[in-house]
Amino acid sequence: MSTTPIRFQVINTPPQATRSDCIVVGITPDGLTSSATQLNKACGGIIRKAFKQGDIQGKAGNLLYLYPASGTLAPRILLVGCGKNDKRDGDAWNKIIDTTCTALNKGGSRNAAFYLTDCKVKGRNRDWQLQEAARTMANAMYQRGEMKSTFKKPENPLTQAKFYVAGNEAGARKALARGKAIGEGMTLARRLGDLPANVCTPSYLASQARRLARKHTSITAKVLN
């Protein structure tokens, strides 16, 4: 398979008390988010210093790794520019998640803790943010070209994403599960479309349909011919 499976988890611990390969917090052009402020205080002010020096401006898509000497259980912090609050729509949110996921996947963090939902999205609630984050990340893990001799998977891909949630954790878990299911469905469609015709034959498609039916009780499959 050309897809690295990813697990999603809900957590309620503050960023400085979460054990992970990387802690992900948001930055806007106006300054630090609430999670970034907590982490900055615990780590001796390194996040605010990086912002004041212009190392990260908070523009959507800006990324900056920091390596704190103390104050957190994670060896590194990823600062993510989330753009202006009044400009952050659904497309901007998905772009932020995709950019972050790509950086983590290439950077060797096998698990990461996300504290980005304090960057609100216009007209959307928290569960929508979580659903779209899971969908975007599950889909972003797909890699084309698995049949090529030059194909290589990342050595240490992202396999676990933890999302900080304050309140209604059950709803958050459902949102992540929905997003993951949609993202994995998109990935399957992309993979089948990318496979050569001598591999993705009608009988192969039929076998994939049967596999889905065995895996999910809500799906039935009937091969007509």
Side-chain angles (χ1 to χ4, degrees):
M1 284 290 291
S2 57
T3 305
T4 301
I6 185 166
R7 302 188 310 276
F8 296 98
Q9 179 183 351
V10 171
I11 57 175
N12 57 16
T13 52
Q16 64 272 19
T18 298
R19 192 175 299 278
S20 180
D21 290 342
C22 185
I23 301 294
V24 183
V25 293
I27 303 291
T28 75
D30 295 324
L32 280 58
T33 61
S34 57
S35 296
T37 299
Q38 287 185 61
L39 193 56
N40 174 72
K41 184 177 180 180
C43 295
I46 61 171
I47 298 176
R48 190 170 300 279
K49 183 178 180 180
F51 178 74
K52 285 186 174 181
Q53 290 181 337
D55 295 331
I56 185 167
Q57 294 84 32
K59 297 179 181 179
N62 283 171
L63 299 172
L64 178 67
Y65 274 113
L66 296 177
Y67 300 86
S70 61
T72 176
L73 300 177
R76 56 182 171 175
I77 298 167
L78 179 58
L79 305 183
V80 177
C82 294
K84 293 183 178 180
N85 294 330
D86 60 347
K87 301 292 185 181
R88 194 179 309 114
D89 58 11
D91 288 340
W93 172 254
N94 290 333
K95 182 179 179 181
I96 290 165
I97 296 296
D98 184 69
T99 302
T100 304
C101 183
T102 299
L104 291 168
N105 202 36
K106 292 181 178 179
S109 294
R110 294 188 64 84
N111 66 80
F114 290 77
Y115 291 79
L116 293 179
T117 52
D118 47 6
C119 290
K120 306 301 181 184
V121 177
K122 291 192 303 181
R124 303 292 186 175
N125 60 23
R126 183 209 63 185
D127 285 353
W128 181 92
Q129 286 183 270
L130 293 172
Q131 176 180 307
E132 285 300 288
R135 181 192 66 80
T136 300
M137 293 178 71
N139 194 33
M141 302 308 289
Y142 175 71
Q143 293 176 276
R144 303 186 66 179
E146 65 177 287
M147 306 298 291
K148 295 181 179 180
S149 60
T150 56
F151 178 78
K152 290 183 179 180
K153 285 187 175 183
E155 293 184 4
N156 294 295
L158 181 68
T159 58
Q160 184 179 29
K162 306 173 185 178
F163 283 87
Y164 173 76
V165 168
N168 192 13
E169 294 183 17
R173 292 189 185 94
K174 289 180 180 179
L176 289 172
R178 283 195 304 270
K180 180 180 180 181
I182 296 169
E184 289 181 348
M186 294 170 65
T187 295
L188 175 60
R190 292 175 66 189
R191 178 176 181 266
L192 293 174
D194 287 338
L195 287 173
N198 65 324
V199 174
C200 191
T201 60
S203 59
Y204 183 85
L205 287 173
S207 70
Q208 293 299 299
R210 291 192 182 102
R211 184 183 66 84
L212 285 173
R214 288 194 299 269
K215 185 177 180 181
H216 303 285
T217 57
S218 60
I219 297 177
T220 58
K222 182 179 181 180
V223 180
L224 300 179
N225 197 354

